[in-house]
Amino acid sequence: MTLTKDSAHALASKLAPNGLAFIDGKFAAAAEGATFDTINPATGQVITAVAHCGGTDVDRAVKAARRSFDDGLWSRAAPEFRKEALLRLAELVRANADELVVLESIDSGKTITDCANEIGREVPNFFQWYGELADKSFGKVAPTGENALALIVKEPAGVVGLVLPWNFPLLMAAWKMAPALAAGCSVLVKPAEQTPLSVLRLAELAQEAGIPDGVLNVLPGLGETTGQAIGRHPDIDIVSFTGSTEVGGYFLRYAGESNLKVIGLEMGGKSPFIVLDDADLTDDLIEHAAMSAFWNGGQNCSANMRQLVDRSLAEEFAHRVTVRAKAFRVGDPLDPATNIGAMVTAEHQTRVMGYIERGSAEGARLLTGGGSTGPGYFIEPAVFADMTPTMSIAREEIFGPVLGILPVAGMEMALQIARDTDYGLHATVFTKDIDRAIYMARRLPCGTVSVNGFSEGDVKTPFGGYKRSGSLARDNGTEAMDQYLQTKTIWISTAQPSVSL
Ligand code: NDP
């Protein structure tokens, strides 16, 4: 990253962010003229007013998306055409990375270092990877007798709604847009109300990259209006959602009460970080423990907040994680030296602080952190020892920098506590014994298990949850593109000349 604190602030002061909706290739105010303010969480100041799209806007975007889908300019184009456009988009994101990084940071409170990792590297990589996949996705031929040829072909599924969270605004857009567009679908994106600006800027770049009008629409707005209108629209074929388990449930209801659209859900988590008794407490392990919890200020669905550590190691582990937590610098998100930026809103800061108070009230021992500072919405990373499985900090998704350490007596106890949750998104296991690693990985009911290092995987590996963390749908990997494709069988009867021997 070339940005410094001074250059990031200079760039931030020059930005004139666009808050208009993007429908059918044009930026426009909401039909009713409604707006809402987007706030910089590091200062509490309004950045700009943003269009609040209502049912009329959603309907207009769906009509544009359906028209573009039926026209076939994108959906039935040669896959190379979609590939080239997505590769151009990847390059445009790279070329405009500094602006997007600063825009994302002021809108979300995320550090520019995290934004640069996501936007400078991962976001373009997603457009590139799925662009490349567009012309490498083959159908199948089923085994039949000679009287038939049975083709199994994939077709774009239609009009797709993508409803996004605020914790990785542009990255989540890329996770979902890239495979949906590569598949040939037309798309409506609803960014989270807290973080609409980077996705609106991406829409401009997508147009410049040659994605035809109507194929990509961005509808900022509030969940109960814009999100619900997408969920209930009778002409949307698929909704892919990332956010809370509660709202994921609403989308199932919206689908049931409208057109039975397919709903893909990626929701919350309460993921364990398990250290078995044979693990070495190396600096690397401690770094993974701290980063798994505090990366992105803990505002991460796969954050490993339940740290289940064999009791023979728990005391030293707690001491060293505490030392590491104290070294995190909390503050100005535009300073590359900052490790943890602001919580996304004042309400969220209050909610997280409530969990820190409950942790102490329920008997956990606060080893460090847990203070809040202003005028932005900052929280110092908190480490609790002596957490027990029934405490609220052990059971509920906090979505902030609150790590709890729970000593366990052996592998089976770790497994039993790790499994005792409604969620099933992620788990990390540290052990030197490959047999124990595989045993744990097989028995942990979650979508991703990482061994001897915290990782969500990458663009090539599917990501999603078991239980209330998700549906069978997956982001990332070839699996993500599959969920935006229909499967069609074409059965061709072939008249065989009669054979005389
Ligand atoms: P939500 O689930 O409320 O929001 C996710 C998306 O759904 C946003 O675009 C939101 O719009 C939209 N939405 C909200 N309400 C409705 C509704 N009634 N109908 C249709 N769409 C709706 O998450 P929050 O952002 O409020 O965060 C709350 C908690 O959810 C967090 O503290 C965390 O526990 C969890 N979460 C999990 C995430 C994950 O990665 N799995 C990501 C974000 C949050 P709007 O922005 O206007 O509310």
Side-chain angles (χ1 to χ4, degrees):
M1 184 176 66
T2 53
L3 287 166
T4 61
K5 180 178 174 181
D6 289 344
S7 67
H9 275 278
L11 186 49
S13 66
K14 275 194 276 173
L15 289 176
N18 166 36
L20 297 174
F22 184 71
I23 301 175
D24 203 7
K26 292 179 192 63
F27 283 97
E32 313 284 329
T35 60
F36 63 97
D37 288 337
T38 186
I39 309 273
N40 180 341
T43 62
Q45 315 239 300
V46 174
I47 303 171
T48 188
V50 178
H52 179 185
C53 294
T56 312
D57 304 294
V58 170
D59 193 50
R60 205 157 70 76
V62 173
K63 285 197 169 77
R66 179 61 62 190
R67 189 209 64 235
S68 71
F69 188 78
D70 291 346
D71 283 353
L73 214 57
W74 184 258
S75 57
R76 293 198 302 279
E80 291 80 358
F81 178 79
R82 295 198 291 269
K83 166 177 152 177
E84 292 305 327
L86 291 172
L87 295 186
R88 278 194 297 274
L89 180 54
E91 278 316 308
L92 285 166
V93 172
R94 286 190 185 104
N96 291 275
D98 281 358
E99 178 201 343
L100 286 163
V101 163
V102 171
L103 192 60
E104 187 87 306
S105 178
I106 60 170
D107 208 19
S108 66
K110 292 163 67 83
T111 65
I112 50 168
T113 306
D114 282 346
C115 294
N117 278 332
E118 290 156 28
I119 294 170
R121 267 184 334 108
E122 293 187 60
V123 169
N125 192 33
F126 271 80
F127 288 115
Q128 186 169 327
W129 198 82
Y130 285 101
E132 288 290 357
L133 191 60
D135 67 352
K136 296 169 191 66
S137 202
F138 291 85
K140 291 196 266 189
V141 177
T144 58
E146 287 188 4
N147 61 338
L149 180 63
L151 308 177
I152 302 167
V153 298
K154 298 284 183 182
E155 297 184 339
V159 173
V160 174
L162 306 175
V163 180
L164 306 180
W166 44 258
N167 52 347
F168 297 94
L170 205 62
L171 185 60
M172 288 304 105
W175 274 28
K176 293 180 191 294
M177 273 170 61
L181 291 172
C185 292
S186 290
V187 167
L188 280 72
V189 184
K190 187 203 117 34
E193 68 186 68
Q194 299 85 352
T195 53
L197 299 180
S198 57
V199 184
L200 287 168
R201 178 71 181 106
L202 184 70
E204 279 182 276
L205 299 180
Q207 190 170 45
E208 198 180 329
I211 293 177
D213 291 352
V215 171
L216 171 66
N217 305 274
V218 181
L219 298 157
L222 307 191
E224 281 180 13
T225 45
T226 323
Q228 178 158 196
I230 290 172
R232 291 189 181 280
H233 200 286
D235 201 26
I236 292 180
D237 300 292
I238 295 176
V239 166
S240 176
F241 164 85
T242 295
S244 64
T245 299
E246 182 187 359
V247 176
Y250 296 165
F251 275 95
L252 295 176
R253 180 152 57 79
Y254 301 152
E257 290 173 359
S258 56
N259 63 336
L260 304 182
K261 57 179 68 64
V262 174
I263 304 290
L265 299 174
E266 199 272 278
M267 301 175 290
K270 191 73 192 176
S271 299
F273 183 98
I274 300 168
V275 182
L276 298 183
D277 60 354
D278 64 278
D280 288 333
L281 292 190
T282 59
D283 289 347
D284 182 61
L285 185 152
I286 298 299
E287 187 66 16
H288 278 275
M291 291 308 292
S292 74
F294 299 136
W295 164 46
N296 208 36
Q299 301 172 120
N300 178 15
C301 53
S302 65
N304 285 186
M305 294 305 189
R306 292 189 296 148
Q307 305 218 334
L308 313 181
V309 183
D310 194 88
R311 64 182 174 196
S312 61
L313 304 172
E315 200 178 311
E316 186 190 343
F317 177 89
H319 169 69
R320 289 179 55 195
V321 165
T322 300
V323 170
R324 179 64 188 91
K326 284 181 175 162
F328 280 102
R329 284 182 60 167
V330 182
D332 181 4
L334 293 177
D335 183 346
T338 299
N339 307 114
I340 297 182
M343 298 288 101
V344 70
T345 59
E347 296 74 30
H348 191 58
Q349 181 195 35
T350 306
R351 181 174 172 275
V352 175
M353 290 304 294
Y355 275 107
I356 294 170
E357 281 157 28
R358 274 158 76 188
S360 296
E362 290 176 11
R365 193 158 44 95
L366 184 62
L367 299 179
T368 184
S372 65
T373 56
Y377 318 131
F378 299 97
I379 297 182
E380 293 156 3
V383 177
F384 278 104
D386 304 337
M387 187 169 78
T388 63
T390 54
M391 289 178 181
S392 21
I393 57 166
R395 303 208 70 80
E396 295 169 29
E397 184 177 45
I398 301 173
F399 232 66
V402 186
L403 179 166
I405 301 167
L406 198 159
V408 291
M411 181 172 69
E412 289 305 328
M413 182 177 172
L415 191 56
Q416 182 257 318
I417 294 173
R419 291 173 60 100
D420 178 22
T421 168
D422 289 337
Y423 295 111
L425 194 56
H426 187 276
T428 302
V429 182
F430 268 81
T431 172
K432 282 192 291 199
D433 182 333
I434 186 69
D435 291 335
R436 296 172 98 199
I438 292 170
Y439 173 83
M440 294 292 279
R442 294 259 193 230
R443 276 161 189 72
L444 286 162
C446 51
T448 301
V449 179
S450 54
V451 175
N452 291 339
F454 168 78
S455 173
E456 290 185 346
D458 65 16
V459 64
K460 302 180 287 298
T461 55
F463 182 82
Y466 286 28
K467 303 204 262 181
R468 291 192 200 173
S469 290
S471 55
L472 287 176
R474 290 290 181 268
D475 288 319
N476 308 350
T478 54
E479 285 79 359
M481 196 148 119
D482 285 345
Q483 68 187 329
Y484 302 112
L485 292 165
Q486 278 283 15
T487 302
K488 179 178 280 178
T489 297
I490 302 176
W491 185 279
I492 305 166
S493 297
T494 53
Q496 292 297 307
S498 48
V499 180
S500 51
L501 292 173

